[in-house]
Amino acid sequence: MDKIGKNRELRGFFHDLFGEEKTEEILLFWENLRKRYTIRVNTLKIDREELIKRLNEKGFVTKSLDFYEDALEIVEAPYEIGKTLEHFLGYFYVQSTSSMLPPLVLDPQPHEAVLDIAAAPGSKTTQMAQMMKNTGFILANDIDYDRIKALSNNVDRMGTLNVIITMTEGHRIAFMHPETFDKVLVDAPCSALGTMYKSDEIRKWWSYEKVRRLKRVQKGLILAGFRALKPGGEMVYSTCTFVPEENERVVDFLLKREDRAEILDIEIKRYKGFEDGLVEYRGEKFDERLKKTLRVLPSSRFEEGFYIARIKKI
Ligand SMILES: C[S@@+](CC[C@H](N)C(=O)[O-])C[C@H]1O[C@@H](n2cnc3c(N)ncnc32)[C@H](O)[C@@H]1O
C-alpha cells in the first residue's frame, strides 16, 4: 500500500495540489527511499575532520553534503549511528537535511537575541546555538512537557550554554517579551505531510478538520513571533508539510494583519525540488510577495518536504 493508503481526503488533497503525475512521482520516490541517516557536526564540541576520522575508525563511512559544510551523510554503518559514543558525547546530532534549512535561512549571528517559539526536541535550537558560537542567547520555548525533557537533554548533550528553556503557550510570548529579539524562528506544529515516508501514522489521522485546528495555532504563533521581533529583526516561519492552508495562507494572514511585515528573498541555492511559494490555491489568491517563500519538495538531497518563509519587521 502506498503512503496515502485509504485516506480519500488525503489522496484528494495530493491530487489537487500536485496533480496525478507529480503525486505518483513523490509517492514512488518515498517508497524506494532507502533509510538515510544524515548528521550535523556539533562544531561547539568537535572539528568536522576529527569527527569524520573517529567515525571512520569505527567503520562508518561518511559523505560530505554540498549545501552545508556541517552536514554529513552516513553511507555505511556497522551499527546504529545513534549508539556511538560520539553521539552520546554530543559530537553530532542526527537531523534530516531539510530540517537544517530553516536555521540556515534565519542565519542567527553571534551575540544576537533569538527566540525559538516552538523548539522541542531542539534540532534547530542546537543548530542555531552552534551558528551563534554559544554567545548571545536563545529563548527556546515549547508547550509540551515531555518534548521539553527531550529538548533539555539535547541542549545538555550538545554543550550549548546560551539556551534558556521555557514552557508556555507560544502566543503569550508576544505579551511577555514584545519587540525583544533580533531573530525569531517559528517552526510550527503542522500536519507533517513532508515526513510521511517515515511514518504510517500520518495518513491515518490526516484530515481537513485537523488542518483547520492546526491553522489556528499557527496563526497565533506567527503573530506572536512577529510581535516579539525588534524593528529591523527577521523571522523564519517553517513547517514540514505541503498544505497551503498551513503555509502560504498563514504567512498571507500575517501580511494582511501587520503592515510592517515584509517578505525577504531566501538566499540559498535553488536545488532540485525547490519551488516558489504559491500565490493562488483552489481559486483563492494570496499576496504576490509569497512567491519569494520556498517549498521544498522531496528529492534525493532533501527527502523531507518543507516550507520556509523569511520575514522582516520594517
Ligand atoms: C515541528 S515541532 C518543533 C520541532 C523543533 N523546532 C525542532 O527542530 O526540533 C512543533 C512544536 O510545537 C510545539 N507546540 C505546539 N503548540 C504550541 C504552542 N501553542 N506554543 C508553543 N509550542 C507549541 C509542539 O509541542 C512541538 O514540539
Side-chain angles (χ1 to χ4, degrees), residues 12-14 16-18 190-191 193 206 208 211-212 215 218-219 237 239-253 276-286 290 293 295 297 306-307:
F13 165 75
F14 262 84
D16 273 7
L17 180 65
F18 294 121
C190 69
S191 69
L193 292 186
W206 194 92
Y208 279 111
V211 166
R212 265 191 292 278
K215 197 174 64 185
Q218 291 154 346
K219 283 180 171 177
Y237 175 80
T239 72
C240 58
T241 200
F242 305 118
V243 186
E245 280 91 339
E246 300 179 65
N247 295 335
E248 286 88 346
R249 203 170 208 239
V250 173
V251 181
D252 190 64
F253 157 81
D276 292 347
L278 302 178
V279 289
E280 190 174 353
Y281 178 63
R282 286 186 163 157
E284 185 187 358
K285 289 215 186 319
F286 302 132
L290 287 169
T293 66
R295 305 194 132 245
L297 302 189
F306 245 82
Y307 173 77

Side-chain angles (χ1 to χ4, degrees), residues 142-293:
D142 205 278
I143 201 176
D144 182 317
Y145 180 65
D146 285 330
R147 290 177 66 94
I148 284 187
K149 283 195 266 181
L151 169 66
S152 173
N153 286 339
N154 283 326
V155 162
D156 281 351
R157 184 173 63 86
M158 303 302 275
T160 55
L161 302 172
N162 58 347
V163 175
I164 305 154
I165 297 178
T166 61
M167 187 175 88
T168 187
E169 173 70 49
H171 312 42
R172 299 185 61 219
I173 290 186
F175 302 106
M176 295 189 279
H177 311 292
E179 310 226 314
T180 304
F181 300 93
D182 300 296
K183 301 271 166 70
V184 171
L185 177 64
V186 179
D187 189 40
C190 69
S191 69
L193 292 186
T195 69
M196 272 170 66
Y197 67 99
K198 291 191 220 170
S199 145
D200 287 334
E201 286 308 303
I202 295 165
R203 70 161 185 244
K204 292 184 190 148
W205 61 249
W206 194 92
S207 68
Y208 279 111
E209 180 46 36
K210 186 106 184 167
V211 166
R212 265 191 292 278
R213 268 184 272 140
L214 281 164
K215 197 174 64 185
R216 274 199 294 276
V217 179
Q218 291 154 346
K219 283 180 171 177
L221 289 177
I222 200 171
L223 209 51
F226 187 78
R227 289 178 176 166
L229 259 188
K230 283 180 188 164
E234 288 180 27
M235 170 165 87
V236 160
Y237 175 80
S238 57
T239 72
C240 58
T241 200
F242 305 118
V243 186
E245 280 91 339
E246 300 179 65
N247 295 335
E248 286 88 346
R249 203 170 208 239
V250 173
V251 181
D252 190 64
F253 157 81
L254 178 74
L255 292 176
K256 287 198 168 75
R257 277 290 279 268
E258 296 282 344
D259 288 346
R260 291 194 292 163
E262 189 51 89
I263 304 287
L264 296 179
D265 286 322
I266 292 180
E267 288 154 355
I268 50 176
K269 193 173 154 187
R270 288 299 204 223
Y271 291 99
K272 181 173 179 283
F274 283 18
E275 292 188 355
D276 292 347
L278 302 178
V279 289
E280 190 174 353
Y281 178 63
R282 286 186 163 157
E284 185 187 358
K285 289 215 186 319
F286 302 132
D287 193 305
E288 280 291 318
R289 292 173 284 176
L290 287 169
K291 232 185 238 159
K292 293 193 209 170
T293 66

